[in-house]
Amino acid sequence: MVVATPTPLLRRGNNKKKTAAFGVPIIDLSDDKSIASEMIVKACEDYGFFKVVNHGVPKKVIARMEREAADFFSRPVSEKGRAGPAAPFGYGSKNIGFNGDKGDLEYILLEANPLSLSQRAKNFSNDPSTFSSVTNDYLSGVRKLSCDILELVAEGLWIEDNSIFSKLISNSHSDSCFRVNHYPPFIAPNNDDEDELNNNHLDLSPNPSKSKVGFGEHTDPQILTILRSNDVSGLQIYTHDGFWIPVPPDPNEFFVFVGDSFQALTNGRFTSVRHRVVSINSWKSRMSMMYFAAPALDAWISAPPQINNIITSNVYRPFKWGDFKQIVYSLRLADSRLDYFKNHT
């Protein structure tokens, strides 16, 4: 199903607010597979973004992960700092990456494999075994969800081997990672409207006194991102027609983003979605958890022949995920990394 409701939109580079009808594509994974696969492909083509319901990840698994993360972020700065600095894994604050990008947030970044988690858990919890167990349970759930989605995509693209994408991230050497972002409450100066604060109103004004960048605009380099947040707004996606669209939070469901690598794997048929987080007027902090589904470092990113038969020319030359990752780390957050791998003939 696709739900469309009037939503205030902000055109990029334009101070004027505009209103249009936009509905976040909603995919019910309990639907018939042929229906779900067709809808996922369309959402990936039109937006690079959608929401999934009936996803199969137990609520108690999500709630336990949220409690563990909230417990860590509630600690004194000096205590949290012992888990950092993020290089790239660990605890970080304000600095995003290595090239000068900053945001109004703190975060933890972890490798999504049991061995690494067990080694790092003591830095994030007084009960490392519980932290490790809870995080592994959560990652197991979202990893399976990612594989289910990728297999539905393959079916929707009429690829005979429906594991052609999912096996990239189910590989034991997968380079997938897990990130939790924590954005502090933001109260705009001279804003005494308690109703507005309690309603988590999203101010799209470019006036910095009314909004604050939590995480700057970017695309995700991996194959897929599976995001879950609490009930505080702030996420925005950028559409093909030049609008920033606020995405209403839904703590019970997951949002899915097409990443750069998936754009390359589909020879540009899918587009990785540009997105950002803008701090809003709220007494409450925003917390979001992202699973970044990635292949092994030595895995080749190349569109399968079935897709290349549909799109006559190869938009991107084949590349290894590890090589692409090096490019990602060398650039600013908002840079377009896939440009480095385009065929220019």
Side-chain angles (χ1 to χ4, degrees):
M1 78 184 91
V2 177
V3 179
T5 55
T7 305
L9 311 179
L10 182 68
R11 187 178 292 278
R12 191 180 188 185
N14 188 337
N15 290 353
K16 292 184 178 180
K17 291 185 183 180
K18 299 181 182 292
T19 300
F22 170 77
V24 174
I26 302 175
I27 313 298
D28 188 338
L29 294 182
S30 68
D31 279 346
D32 181 88
K33 286 180 66 176
S34 62
I35 296 174
S37 62
E38 182 181 341
M39 292 181 64
I40 289 174
V41 168
K42 181 170 175 52
C44 290
E45 290 175 332
D46 292 348
Y47 300 105
F49 174 80
F50 55 93
K51 180 165 75 171
V52 291
V53 301
N54 292 315
H55 45 70
V57 183
K59 288 184 178 180
K60 65 179 181 181
V61 170
I62 299 171
R64 290 177 67 200
M65 187 68 251
E66 184 175 44
R67 283 196 298 271
E68 287 292 326
D71 175 71
F72 174 79
F73 289 123
S74 68
R75 297 179 178 188
V77 173
S78 59
E79 188 174 340
K80 289 183 287 190
R82 291 199 289 270
F89 301 106
Y91 168 76
S93 178
K94 307 294 185 183
N95 294 314
I96 302 171
F98 307 105
N99 302 300
D101 291 295
K102 294 183 180 297
D104 188 29
L105 82 163
E106 57 181 342
Y107 63 90
I108 58 176
L109 181 62
L110 300 167
E111 293 171 285
N113 68 73
L115 177 60
S116 176
L117 282 172
S118 65
Q119 293 172 340
R120 291 182 177 274
K122 64 180 182 296
N123 297 326
F124 297 97
S125 174
N126 294 326
D127 186 352
S129 62
T130 296
F131 181 88
S132 182
S133 174
V134 166
T135 306
N136 277 317
D137 285 347
Y138 182 84
L139 291 176
S140 177
V142 292
R143 184 183 298 112
K144 181 182 183 303
L145 174 59
S146 300
C147 288
D148 290 345
I149 291 170
L150 291 173
E151 289 173 7
L152 286 169
V153 167
E155 182 176 323
L157 293 174
W158 297 91
I159 296 174
E160 186 174 346
D161 178 9
N162 70 354
S163 69
I164 193 166
F165 301 129
S166 63
K167 63 188 177 186
L168 289 170
I169 66 169
S170 59
N171 184 298
S172 60
H173 298 292
S174 163
D175 191 46
S176 300
C177 59
F178 178 52
R179 182 180 183 116
V180 185
N181 289 341
H182 179 250
Y183 303 90
F186 174 68
I187 311 303
N190 304 319
N191 193 330
D192 298 321
D193 187 340
E194 187 168 347
D195 288 336
E196 182 181 19
L197 297 174
N198 291 336
N199 288 333
N200 290 331
H201 173 70
L202 178 58
D203 186 353
L204 289 173
S205 168
N207 183 347
S209 68
K210 293 293 185 180
S211 61
K212 196 171 187 180
V213 175
F215 205 111
E217 66 172 276
H218 65 287
T219 58
D220 295 331
Q222 294 86 358
I223 296 175
L224 281 185
T225 300
I226 307 293
L227 177 145
R228 184 267 175 194
S229 76
N230 61 3
D231 59 354
V232 177
S233 299
L235 174 65
Q236 299 176 7
I237 65 168
Y238 185 64
T239 63
H240 301 314
D241 53 359
F243 286 106
W244 282 107
I245 301 174
V247 179
D250 188 341
N252 297 313
E253 313 299 350
F254 289 98
F255 293 95
V256 182
F257 300 77
V258 169
D260 295 337
S261 294
F262 211 13
Q263 178 171 326
L265 283 167
T266 58
N267 204 21
R269 181 168 174 177
F270 298 170
T271 303
S272 55
V273 62
R274 192 162 286 269
H275 53 286
R276 66 185 183 186
V277 173
V278 177
S279 298
I280 62 166
N281 280 311
S282 174
W283 295 111
K284 188 177 179 181
S285 61
R286 172 181 168 87
M287 189 165 71
S288 56
M289 305 186 293
M290 287 73 62
Y291 170 69
F292 299 103
L297 290 171
D298 61 355
W300 283 94
I301 303 297
S302 179
Q306 295 93 327
I307 291 177
N308 287 344
N309 286 338
I310 298 171
I311 304 173
T312 53
S313 61
N314 293 331
V315 179
Y316 305 100
R317 67 179 188 272
F319 56 85
K320 286 186 179 180
W321 163 246
D323 295 335
F324 185 57
K325 189 176 177 180
Q326 285 187 331
I327 292 291
V328 170
Y329 281 152
S330 71
L331 299 174
R332 297 292 300 269
L333 192 62
D335 290 339
S336 298
R337 306 98 171 199
L338 278 176
D339 289 348
Y340 288 78
F341 297 90
K342 271 189 173 180
N343 282 319
H344 296 289
T345 58

